[in-house]
């Protein structure tokens, strides 16, 4: 079997000489790299880490630049100001809300039968509204989710207690907490890490993260026949399709069991029975399976990357942990569990979450957009059908946008009084981890709520230490594992439990107490 790189070289070089330009661009186009520097990306190891190359090009070409690959135009948006002009200001926000043709959407998600990779049309709008209803991110629905998350946190606390202060890889604890929540959302109940469903979901998420990497998507989008070759990435794509079907079949089996608990899968099965005004089925089996892929991947990969990164960061910053613990002690104390109503009273905790999301920029290039007609962005003419790359990794790590961007500084999101900056503050407006405009992340509220409850519970009850006998490195953004969602490298830590040791002086404020480690608190 020919090596993947050699095949790519032969194919791309052939196309390079036979593709003809269809005409000159009208108006003034953005600057950008041309020719060989662009093709080099698709010939070597830079393909999985496209965001790093775009970051380097930003230093040379600025807030917006353009490049071509096999006759297709791409523009990279590299500042929050340009991003908002493109995605939030009409008529640009409508023009740029479309998705480009992608290999992921066409071949892996059954001809754009999902929500994330499909372009707007009446059926897409109905699916997106359904997705909002399913995750129940507001009002009474958020209270239901909070109850589910807090129940899953009980299992997490038992897992931490069982570590006995030993060196542990926290990924199994974090993954079970996240997947427990996903299971409850999808099927109404959780089966734990030893259950078959979590094994399937974990495998599916791992495959999604690899095969939807933007660099690979571009390459396979131009050369879709690669999927028929016995290449490593092609084999993973075939495995993804099989695993997706295994997930749906297993959920169908679980849905037939007699139980009071119901989940999203039950709802989607009912929606499949609905008919439009013409008597046609508007929500199909393909919609069901691919909407579940959207939900499972979004509900797992992003939260895993954030929480795992947060634990590593805090293990290296004991003073920040102490400050978070003081906030927990003063606001929540020890007699009750954290709840979502505590969020507005815990500005440091909220700032740590925001700074973690900025610092890792875990969805580095978001999902690509496309222009449905010619438009103007930042004074440049952008042609119809141009692919738009929301370069979030660069936006969050440019010195032009942030002071000391590669330094973890939660205080950048706090005012002089230690309060969280409002959403309309210029600093907050540069924060784009969940995108912006008509295609912003549907699950933002759900994700932030889950991360807050995890972090507040963790800091209320434990202290994170580096492992015995060795040190863990600082989390370095360029070294994170690539994928559509970046993940930190594996590491170990120790979780040491906290308990209040009452001061002998009466009426002492909680923040004045001292603490020692014990198993009794959990």
């Amino acid at each position: 079997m020919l090596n993947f790189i050699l095949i790519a070289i032969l194919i791309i070089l052939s196309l390079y000489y036979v593709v003809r330009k269809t005409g000159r661009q009208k108006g003034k186009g953005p600057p950008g790299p041309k020719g060989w520097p662009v093709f080099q990306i698709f010939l070597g190891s830079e393909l999985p880490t496209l965001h790093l190359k775009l970051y380097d090009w930003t230093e040379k070409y600025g807030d917006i630049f353009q490049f071509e690959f096999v006759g297709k135009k791409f523009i990279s948006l590299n500042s929050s100001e340009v991003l908002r002009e493109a995605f939030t200001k009409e008529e640009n926000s409508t023009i740029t809300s479309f998705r480009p043709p992608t290999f992921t959407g066409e071949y892996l998600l059954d001809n754009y039968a999902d929500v994330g990779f499909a372009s707007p049309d009446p059926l897409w709008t109905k699916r997106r509204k359904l997705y909002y209803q399913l995750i129940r991110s507001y009002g009474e629905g958020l209270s239901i989710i909070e109850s589910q998350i807090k129940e899953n946190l009980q299992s997490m606390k038992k897992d931490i207690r069982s570590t006995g202060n030993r060196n542990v890889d926290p990924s199994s604890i974090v993954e079970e907490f996240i997947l427990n929540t996903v299971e409850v959302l999808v099927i109404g109940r959780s089966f734990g890490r030893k259950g078959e469903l979590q094994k399937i979901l974990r495998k599916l998420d791992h495959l999604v993260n690899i095969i939807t990497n933007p660099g690979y998507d571009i390459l396979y989008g131009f050369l879709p026949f690669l999927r028929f070759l016995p290449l490593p990435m092609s084999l993973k794509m075939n495995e993804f399709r099989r695993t997706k079907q295994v997930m749906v079949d297993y959920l169908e089996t679980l849905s037939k069991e007699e139980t009071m608990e119901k989940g999203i899968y039950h709802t989607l099965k009912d929606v499949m029975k609905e008919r439009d005004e013409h008597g046609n089925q508007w929500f199909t089996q393909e919609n069901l399976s691919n909407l579940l892929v959207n939900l499972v991947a979004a509900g797992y990969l992003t939260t895993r990357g954030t929480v795992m990164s947060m634990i590593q960061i805090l293990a290296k910053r004991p003073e920040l942990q102490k400050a978070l613990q003081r906030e927990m002690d003063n606001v929540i104390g020890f007699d009750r569990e954290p709840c979502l109503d505590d969020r507005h009273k815990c500005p440091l905790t909220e700032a740590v979450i925001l700074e973690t999301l900025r610092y890792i920029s875990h969805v580095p290039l978001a999902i690509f957009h496309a222009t449905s007609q010619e438009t103007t962005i930042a004074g440049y003419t952008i042609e119809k059908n141009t692919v738009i790359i929301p370069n979030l990794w660069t936006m969050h790590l440019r010195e032009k946008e942030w002071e000391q961007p590669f330094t973890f500084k939660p205080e950048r999101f706090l005012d002089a009084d230690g309060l969280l900056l409002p959403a309309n503050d210029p600093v907050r407006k540069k924060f784009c981890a969940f995108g912006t405009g008509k295609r912003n992340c549907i699950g933002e509220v759900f994700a932030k709520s889950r991360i807050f409850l995890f972090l507040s519970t963790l800091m209320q009850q434990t202290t994170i230490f580096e492992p015995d006998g060795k040190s863990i490195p600082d989390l370095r953004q360029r070294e994170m594992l690539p994928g559509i969602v970046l993940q930190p490298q594996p590491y170990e830590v120790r979780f040491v439990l906290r308990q209040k040791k009452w001061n002998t002086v009466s009426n002492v404020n909680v923040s004045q107490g001292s603490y020692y480690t014990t198993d009794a608190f959990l």
Side-chain angles (χ1 to χ4, degrees), residues 129-143:
K129 288 181 179 179
L130 175 64
Y131 196 107
Y132 265 116
Q133 295 167 0
L134 293 174
I135 61 174
R136 302 171 295 182
S137 287
Y138 301 94
E140 182 181 353
L142 192 57
S143 298

Side-chain angles (χ1 to χ4, degrees), residues 494-509:
R494 285 187 302 124
F495 294 107
V496 179
L497 307 180
R498 302 174 67 222
Q499 182 180 1
K500 171 97 178 265
K501 180 179 179 181
W502 290 105
N503 196 302
T504 56
V505 179
S506 60
N507 298 323
V508 174
N509 188 282

